[in-house]
Amino acid sequence: MRAIFLFKRDLRLKDNRALEFAVRNFSQIVPVFIFDNDILNNLKVDSKRLSYIVEALEIISQKIKLYCLKDNTISALKRVFEIARPKAFIESKPLTWSGKERSYKISSLCKEYGIEYYAILDNVIAPIFDISPTQVFTPFYKKWINFVDISRSDIPDFSVPDLNLPLLKDIKPQLYTEKLNIFSPRDCKDRMLNFDYSSYQEKRNSPAIDGTSKLSPCIRFGILSPREIFSFVLNKSEQFIKELAWREFWYHISWHYPQSKDLELNPKRQGIRWQNDQHLIDAFLNAKTGYPIVDAGIRQLTQEKWLHNRVRMIVASFLTKVLLVDWRIGERFFMEHLIDYDEAVNTHSWQWSASVGADPRPFRLFNPMLQSSRHDPDCIYIKRYIPELSGEDCEALHDPLKFKLKYHKPVVNYYERIALAREVYRLR
């Protein structure tokens, strides 16, 4: 019997549970990837993110015949169904809101065509749906670690029929891509094997050095399975294991609290009257806030399509608590630029930074001046991304309110704005 297998965020041929299910249960597999026009347009998918996906698919295409279509998902699948005449359709179980919506449409189409539909849980280390709902990370982690399942799938060779469907080379001219600068799917395995996990706890908050694994795109697009990474890192760094758990915590929250897609999870923080001053928003988006650590972060994001995690928290806190701008605006900005953009992770990370979401604490503050002096003490990171400040004294770069720089004047006074933020957040 013939089955369609849809690659989505599992762009690998090893340790792919959904693909293994397809191969072991059906005699012929039709592997498909769809460049969905709706997704590309709605997410404003950046050309480097698209380049990353194309390169990952090229790796797969070197080993198997992979059919690729550029259309909306339902139209593309109708074409595939009518040509391939499959008995079944298999995909990995969706973990995000838009993924669930897409899969619902697919399952309905399968029913219309009389095709068996299967969604197999993959791309997580633990069955996050089975963990009792919690909005706090620590109790989640204690449960999660006991649910971990790192059994690896073994996928036999499989047969792909010759069909009158396009391959990647046929549609690649329709895709706007550009050369990747710091990320490539081909580097994922080496990065996992050669990263120094023993110093991760010590170096992970220093943006000027290569102290983080940069595996997030590899995980986001499933170039490596999270089980493979977990197995390799186990006993090397508990902090790194916790970072893997944070990702699954956000999926857990999304699944059990679906309203959090557009609404603050913390009911006490719903209805905040964000100021959304367009002048301040523009200064943030164009890296002209006058706070060097914040502007350096925005430049790194827009140039490299990736941002160091500590700096992600600094800029998110600055936008929401200092500029008093709705976290949704920041979430959309990251959505447009991050090569490792993940709907659930990004949404809940922004809510966390804005103190309106899960894992609540009284009122998290990331003072950009203290964060700058603490985590970039020699201003290496700042001067890397703002070279016009290379001649400035480092002490002055850490505190643009105290020292006058030959640079953009700070758009607001941090201390005055934090006092206002406490009022806006109804903390007084």
Side-chain angles (χ1 to χ4, degrees), residues 131-145 238-253 265 352 357-361 364:
I131 299 175
S132 55
T134 177
Q135 297 183 21
V136 182
F137 175 74
T138 299
F140 170 83
Y141 178 70
K142 291 178 180 178
K143 298 173 185 176
W144 178 86
I145 202 70
E238 183 183 9
Q239 183 59 50
F240 195 92
I241 294 294
K242 285 184 176 180
E243 296 303 323
L244 295 175
W246 269 104
R247 169 180 174 266
E248 301 196 8
F249 175 58
W250 296 138
Y251 292 147
H252 171 86
I253 292 292
L265 184 65
W352 182 93
D359 201 49
R361 288 183 182 176
R364 290 185 183 89

Side-chain angles (χ1 to χ4, degrees), residues 325-343:
V325 171
D326 193 329
W327 61 270
R328 298 167 186 84
I329 293 175
E331 196 277 336
R332 286 195 295 272
F333 181 56
F334 274 26
M335 176 190 74
E336 293 177 17
H337 289 283
L338 283 174
I339 202 168
D340 60 357
Y341 172 75
D342 181 296
E343 182 181 47

Side-chain angles (χ1 to χ4, degrees), residues 264 268-277 320 323-328 356 417 420-421 423-426:
E264 292 83 358
K268 295 180 180 179
R269 297 284 161 79
Q270 294 171 4
I272 289 177
R273 299 182 66 179
W274 305 103
Q275 292 195 347
N276 293 340
D277 183 316
T320 55
L323 302 187
L324 293 171
V325 171
D326 193 329
W327 61 270
R328 298 167 186 84
V356 300
R417 298 293 290 191
L420 177 59
E423 296 179 5
V424 172
Y425 274 73
R426 299 188 291 274

Side-chain angles (χ1 to χ4, degrees), residues 353-385:
S353 293
S355 294
V356 300
D359 201 49
R361 288 183 182 176
F363 188 64
R364 290 185 183 89
L365 287 176
F366 287 80
N367 181 322
M369 292 166 287
L370 294 179
Q371 292 287 316
S372 179
S373 61
R374 183 177 301 154
H375 299 298
D376 190 28
D378 299 318
C379 298
I380 296 172
Y381 176 80
I382 289 173
K383 293 181 179 182
R384 180 184 302 157
Y385 292 101

Side-chain angles (χ1 to χ4, degrees), residues 92-110:
S92 59
K93 190 176 182 67
L95 300 173
T96 64
W97 302 288
S98 59
K100 286 192 286 184
E101 182 179 344
R102 186 186 189 202
S103 291
Y104 175 77
K105 293 178 181 178
I106 292 173
S107 64
S108 298
L109 182 68
C110 287

Side-chain angles (χ1 to χ4, degrees), residues 20 29 47-48 105 114 125 149 152 157 178 207 218 234-235 254 281 309 317 339 359 379 394 407:
E20 181 192 31
I29 306 300
S47 56
K48 281 190 170 64
K105 293 178 181 178
I125 304 166
D149 174 11
R152 309 275 285 280
D157 292 336
E178 61 178 296
C218 307
L234 191 62
N235 300 322
S254 300
I281 293 172
N309 189 60
S317 178
I339 202 168
D359 201 49
C379 298
C394 196
Y407 185 61

